[in-house]
Amino acid sequence: MTPRSPCNLCGAREAQEVARLDRHGKPLATVICRKCGLVWSDPVPTEETLKKFYAEEYRLQYKGVSRPTPEHVYRAGKVAAQRFRHLKKLLKPGSVIIDVGSGGGEFVYLMRRLDFDAQGVQPHEGYARYAQEELGIPVHLGFVRDVRLPPASCHMVTIYHALEHMASPSEVLEHVREWLEPRGWLVIEVPNVEATCQSPGHRFHRAHLYSFNPASLRRLGEKTGFRPHRTDLSPDGGNITAIFAKENLGSIRTEIPGNCERVMGVIRRHTLLRHFASSHPYARPLRKLQGRLQEKWATRRFGSGKELLDAIRSRELPAHFP
Ligand SMILES: [Zn+2]
């Protein structure tokens, strides 16, 4: 079939249908590129449509609140501490770190407490204002394209669970590349389209415009001027974290032979029957419930998000870097 939007990775207009419904059973056409295996919602919405969606509605629809609750801050703060531990070998004291899709600003806040010059980029107004006002951190309200930074001024750009929401991942990476110093680091985390930890019907989400596997994510980085440094999967296989170094690799072949077949094979084999025969449907809700109870318990003593994050910092992060 010919998709309505061309492939954002290789530019091909040769796709195959993957799904017709989203995780809530509503119509959502999802296609896969025959040439490279990138998966997207077809057609991809325009940036104007997205702007409206992000600025007003996204968090309301997605999490049920327009500002982060203490439980969200706690969860995001714990994740932010893990991210620091994962990245610390790549960091230089006091360096500039731009966190694209900074949410409530938890990662930026904790990094600033370690004396990094960390700043956020966040299109959702409620979350951006929360981070600016409650946490007192610098957040650029808007999309990546709207942010102007001096060229080659950043040591690291992080994009955690945000690239899959953007109209053109290629353009976003080309844009953030300009911010980075030579050999600067780009860190991307996205859901893994090959994940089998969730129910098969839960794979596609209206807000996720693109779905990657490790090969398509790496190739996207290579195409936009980055050398893959390392790629990790989360323990449940649900997320891909890829680290890239800014480096021009010259002309890159964007097609990935066999990747479409590989992704389709994983999706086809992940049937409801197999899913319920695995431990995931039983262990996952239990882990989630345990997590929620722990969050309620852990957050009950704190008056503000800042106090919560400071508590996480004193327990989980060093007093100084390095
Ligand atoms: Zn493609």
Side-chain angles (χ1 to χ4, degrees):
M1 62 171 285
T2 306
R4 290 160 75 185
S5 305
C7 175
N8 194 259
L9 172 51
C10 75
R13 281 190 177 269
E14 204 182 321
Q16 181 177 336
E17 183 180 86
V18 181
R20 291 179 183 177
L21 300 176
D22 72 2
R23 64 173 66 169
H24 304 295
K26 295 199 175 133
L28 179 71
T30 302
V31 302
I32 183 168
C33 176
R34 302 273 309 152
K35 301 287 184 189
C36 74
L38 182 69
V39 172
W40 69 92
S41 295
D42 191 58
V44 175
T46 64
E47 200 163 284
E48 273 314 300
T49 310
L50 283 179
K51 256 193 178 135
K52 201 163 175 287
F53 183 62
Y54 274 86
E56 298 157 16
E57 293 168 12
Y58 172 67
R59 293 285 176 181
L60 277 173
Q61 290 187 1
Y62 194 42
K63 300 272 188 196
V65 288
S66 63
R67 282 164 81 90
T69 63
E71 288 80 10
H72 287 160
V73 175
Y74 178 77
R75 200 180 317 154
K78 300 273 283 183
V79 171
Q82 281 169 14
R83 288 175 182 166
F84 166 74
R85 290 191 290 270
H86 183 233
L87 301 177
K88 65 182 176 189
K89 284 191 182 145
L90 309 178
L91 292 167
K92 290 189 301 194
S95 52
V96 176
I97 302 169
I98 305 296
D99 188 30
V100 171
S102 49
E106 298 84 0
F107 179 67
V108 172
Y109 178 80
L110 289 174
M111 297 305 274
R112 291 185 73 81
R113 299 287 279 151
L114 289 168
D115 291 330
F116 295 102
D117 182 359
Q119 305 165 31
V121 178
Q122 172 60 42
H124 181 269
E125 198 165 341
Y127 273 49
R129 298 254 175 268
Y130 173 87
Q132 290 163 340
E133 290 159 15
E134 301 285 326
L135 302 182
I137 59 170
V139 174
H140 305 267
L141 172 62
F143 282 11
V144 163
R145 195 205 283 267
D146 307 324
V147 180
R148 296 276 164 245
L149 294 171
S153 61
C154 306
H155 180 65
M156 180 180 278
V157 173
T158 54
I159 313 179
Y160 289 107
H161 292 273
L163 194 66
E164 69 273 22
H165 300 275
M166 298 178 181
S168 175
S170 292
E171 277 180 33
V172 167
L173 297 194
E174 281 160 9
H175 192 96
V176 304
R177 189 177 192 280
E178 299 303 312
W179 301 343
L180 282 166
E181 63 193 24
R183 300 290 302 162
W185 299 103
L186 169 67
V187 182
I188 302 175
E189 187 170 287
V190 289
N192 181 9
V193 74
E194 296 180 355
T196 54
C197 52
Q198 83 291 41
S199 164
H202 268 235
R203 193 176 304 276
F204 299 110
H205 187 301
R206 187 160 299 274
H208 293 178
L209 309 181
Y210 292 92
S211 298
F212 301 88
N213 75 338
S216 56
L217 182 61
R218 270 197 298 268
R219 191 59 57 90
L220 182 72
E222 289 167 340
K223 177 187 112 167
T224 51
F226 296 94
R227 180 179 293 284
H229 173 68
R230 62 179 285 181
T231 308
D232 296 292
L233 291 184
S234 59
D236 66 1
N239 294 318
I240 312 164
T241 312
I243 300 178
F244 299 91
K246 175 174 169 176
E247 190 181 328
N248 198 342
L249 302 179
S251 150
I252 290 289
R253 186 180 175 206
T254 47
E255 294 178 6
I256 311 174
N259 201 38
C260 170
E261 292 74 13
R262 178 194 153 110
V263 171
M264 286 307 290
V266 172
I267 292 173
R268 284 207 190 97
R269 284 192 300 275
H270 184 214
T271 61
L272 262 183
L273 191 65
R274 276 186 194 231
H275 181 65
F276 283 100
S278 78
S279 65
H280 290 302
Y282 316 103
R284 214 167 134 91
L286 190 64
R287 269 202 311 275
K288 275 198 171 170
L289 178 65
Q290 280 171 341
R292 297 296 175 267
L293 287 174
Q294 199 209 349
E295 283 156 16
K296 278 269 173 234
W297 178 251
T299 54
R300 80 201 182 289
R301 289 182 287 122
F302 298 98
S304 71
K306 211 172 193 168
E307 284 177 34
L308 252 173
L309 292 175
D310 285 335
I312 290 172
R313 188 218 165 177
S314 63
R315 270 205 313 271
E316 301 198 20
L317 295 179
H320 304 282
F321 180 83

